[in-house]
Amino acid sequence: GKYIPLDVLETLCPGIASRIGAELDSLPLVIKRKHGNLPYEVIEDLEKSCRKCQNSISNLNEQVDEILDEYDLDESPIN
């Protein structure tokens, strides 16, 4: 199996997180434009959910070691 070196993973995570965060940031506006008849509460709930996801993603780099500890790297190769 192949493994991603931790330093490479730590370099990739912020860039990936930034791209996902930007998509999540624009999602409520896109939905609102496409479906203007949705109640305000629905858009507000979507915004809250997106913010929650963005917060989780922003902490991902700090959690890399913890996440990797959950896997037995000898038995879980990254292909």
Side-chain angles (χ1 to χ4, degrees), residues 4-12 61 64-65 68:
I4 298 174
L6 187 57
D7 59 328
V8 172
L9 187 58
E10 288 176 336
T11 301
L12 290 175
N61 207 41
V64 167
D65 290 328
L68 289 175

Side-chain angles (χ1 to χ4, degrees), residues 9-25:
L9 187 58
E10 288 176 336
T11 301
L12 290 175
C13 281
I16 293 169
S18 176
R19 290 178 184 187
I20 294 171
E23 291 295 323
L24 285 169
D25 193 41

Side-chain angles (χ1 to χ4, degrees), residues 2-75:
K2 296 180 183 179
Y3 298 95
I4 298 174
L6 187 57
D7 59 328
V8 172
L9 187 58
E10 288 176 336
T11 301
L12 290 175
C13 281
I16 293 169
S18 176
R19 290 178 184 187
I20 294 171
E23 291 295 323
L24 285 169
D25 193 41
S26 67
L27 185 61
L29 182 60
V30 169
I31 297 297
K32 188 175 180 177
R33 284 182 183 158
K34 288 185 176 184
H35 306 282
N37 59 337
L38 287 174
Y40 173 77
E41 293 81 9
V42 172
I43 299 299
E44 191 175 63
D45 286 343
L46 180 60
E47 288 172 343
K48 287 178 185 178
S49 294
C50 286
R51 278 194 300 273
K52 186 176 178 180
C53 289
Q54 287 172 308
N55 288 336
S56 294
I57 291 168
S58 70
N59 295 324
L60 181 63
N61 207 41
E62 298 168 5
Q63 299 171 2
V64 167
D65 290 328
E66 180 182 320
I67 293 168
L68 289 175
D69 286 343
E70 294 176 11
Y71 293 94
D72 181 355
L73 293 179
D74 293 328
E75 295 182 19

